[in-house]
């Protein structure tokens, strides 16, 4: 049997796991193999639901969207908080000094990713609504240039792109993601897979932890791999990778409370189609 794992560039734990052979070695004694599927973070839940993959990982928002769409997912593990992973930026010469001053403005972000949760909560903290007080624009590789050209008022950046923009001195941080949300990586599977193959879920999580330990101890090599594969400067990748915790945690009551707060906020903003109960996505909850 082949275990199908979804992987995408924005999830560092899965990204390195797919390149190190750790999971393949762990599965071999069980007579199992692994097939890696390049699946975008926003498509992870659908790929789980239709059986393309058995296990995937994203930020905080996609599993909430998946639950709201009726997908029967189960949380498997989460990363420790990632306080240095992302930030809401404005151009260095922008007159905007506070989040409240974004009212009526344009914000470029990866809509549907953890950046939606972060932006919505940052706005709520300033008395604004994600649904009505800003125009959210889907970011792409031109977002940084759009910010500098004044075509958008703010940009949510992460990883090596964030490191590069800060190194260039062309941006100013309006708010750090870690000051607003825990910004964890979240790993999840289908309920039937969690119930039918719990030993495989446990093995995958252990392999993720091993991949994290490798990355934490080999930052230069990990940065070189990412730069060669995804572009950018190795130094910027190294800074971004150095800022990550590289540690997994079990699904805790504290994490579930964080997710419920996010779900309620996104439902109130009209981003989720319906209100959900996050604890329904715990193995054994149904």
């Amino acid at each position: 049997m082949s275990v199908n794992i979804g992987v995408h560039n924005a999830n560092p734990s899965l990204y390195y796991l797919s390149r190190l052979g750790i999971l393949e070695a762990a599965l071999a004694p069980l007579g199992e193999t692994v097939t890696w599927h390049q699946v975008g973070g926003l498509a992870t839940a659908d790929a789980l639901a239709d059986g393309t993959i058995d296990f995937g990982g994203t930020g905080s928002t996609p599993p909430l969207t998946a639950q709201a769409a009726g997908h029967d997912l189960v949380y498997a593990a989460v990363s420790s908080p990632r306080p240095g992973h992302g930030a809401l930026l404005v151009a260095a010469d922008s007159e905007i000094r506070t989040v409240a001053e974004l009212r009526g403005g344009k914000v470029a972000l990866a809509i549907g990713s953890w950046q939606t949760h972060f932006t919505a909560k940052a706005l709520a903290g300033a008395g604004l609504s994600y649904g009505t007080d800003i125009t959210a624009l889907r970011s792409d590789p031109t977002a940084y240039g759009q910010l500098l050209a004044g075509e958008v008022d703010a940009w949510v950046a992460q990883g090596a792109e964030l490191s590069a923009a800060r190194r260039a001195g062309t941006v100013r941080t309006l708010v750090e993601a870690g000051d607003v949300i825990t910004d964890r990586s979240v790993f999840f599977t289908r309920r039937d897979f969690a119930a039918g193959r719990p030993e495989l879920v446990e093995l995958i999580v252990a392999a993720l932890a091993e991949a994290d330990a490798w990355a934490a101890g080999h930052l230069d090599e990990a940065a070189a791999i990412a730069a060669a594969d995804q572009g950018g400067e190795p130094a910027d990748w190294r800074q971004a990778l150095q800022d990550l915790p590289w540690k997994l945690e079990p699904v805790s009551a504290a994490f579930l409370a964080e997710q419920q707060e996010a779900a309620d906020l996104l439902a109130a903003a009209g981003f989720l189609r319906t209100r959900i109960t996050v604890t329904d996505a715990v193995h054994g909850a149904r």
Side-chain angles (χ1 to χ4, degrees):
M1 176 181 173
S2 181
V3 181
N4 294 284
I5 308 291
V7 60
H8 59 95
N9 292 345
N11 188 291
S13 297
L14 284 168
Y15 177 77
Y16 290 108
L17 180 63
S18 71
R19 284 157 174 76
L20 296 174
I22 293 170
L23 185 56
E24 289 83 347
L27 287 170
L30 303 179
E32 307 276 2
T33 60
V34 59
T35 300
W36 299 99
H37 297 262
Q38 286 291 329
V39 177
L42 304 186
T44 296
D46 286 340
L48 277 171
D50 68 19
T52 300
I53 64 173
D54 303 307
F55 188 100
T58 66
S60 55
T61 305
L64 303 178
T65 307
Q67 268 195 272
H71 296 322
D72 196 10
L73 62 89
V74 171
Y75 290 112
V78 299
S79 78
S80 295
R82 303 181 296 176
H85 177 236
L88 179 62
L89 307 175
V90 295
D93 59 356
S94 172
E95 295 182 358
I96 295 173
R97 296 288 168 177
T98 68
V99 174
E101 293 174 56
L102 288 175
R103 186 189 299 271
K106 299 176 181 178
V107 180
L109 68 145
I111 296 173
S113 76
W114 68 269
Q115 296 183 11
T116 303
H117 172 204
F118 164 48
T119 304
K121 190 168 182 183
L123 290 168
L128 304 182
S129 168
Y130 177 92
T132 59
D133 288 319
I134 65 160
T135 298
L137 301 176
R138 192 172 299 279
S139 62
D140 60 28
T142 68
Y144 178 36
Q146 291 173 346
L147 180 72
L148 300 185
E151 296 170 7
V152 298
D153 299 289
W155 169 45
V156 181
Q158 69 182 69
E161 286 187 323
L162 174 60
S163 299
R166 284 175 163 166
R167 177 171 54 82
T170 53
V171 298
R172 179 163 37 81
T173 300
L174 205 58
V175 60
E176 296 278 359
D179 291 339
V180 179
I181 64 172
T182 55
D183 187 19
R184 303 176 190 267
S185 277
V186 182
F187 303 94
F188 47 99
T189 182
R190 289 188 313 278
R191 187 174 303 277
D192 66 316
F193 189 75
R197 302 302 303 272
E199 77 285 359
L200 289 185
V201 175
E202 183 177 344
L203 188 150
I204 294 166
V205 171
L208 281 167
E210 190 174 342
D212 277 6
W214 178 88
H218 299 81
L219 288 174
D220 289 335
E221 187 175 348
I225 290 171
D229 182 40
Q230 301 181 45
E233 295 296 324
D236 293 325
W237 277 106
R238 193 188 193 288
Q239 182 62 57
L241 297 176
Q242 182 176 304
D243 288 341
L244 295 175
W246 299 113
K247 182 180 179 182
L248 294 188
E249 298 178 358
V251 176
S252 65
F255 162 72
L256 294 172
E258 294 167 9
Q259 286 292 86
Q260 189 64 60
E261 179 189 59
D264 293 344
L265 177 66
L266 293 173
F271 186 81
L272 293 188
R273 64 174 67 177
T274 186
R275 292 188 177 274
I276 62 171
T277 300
V278 169
T279 51
D280 286 345
V282 174
H283 182 46
R286 292 184 178 179

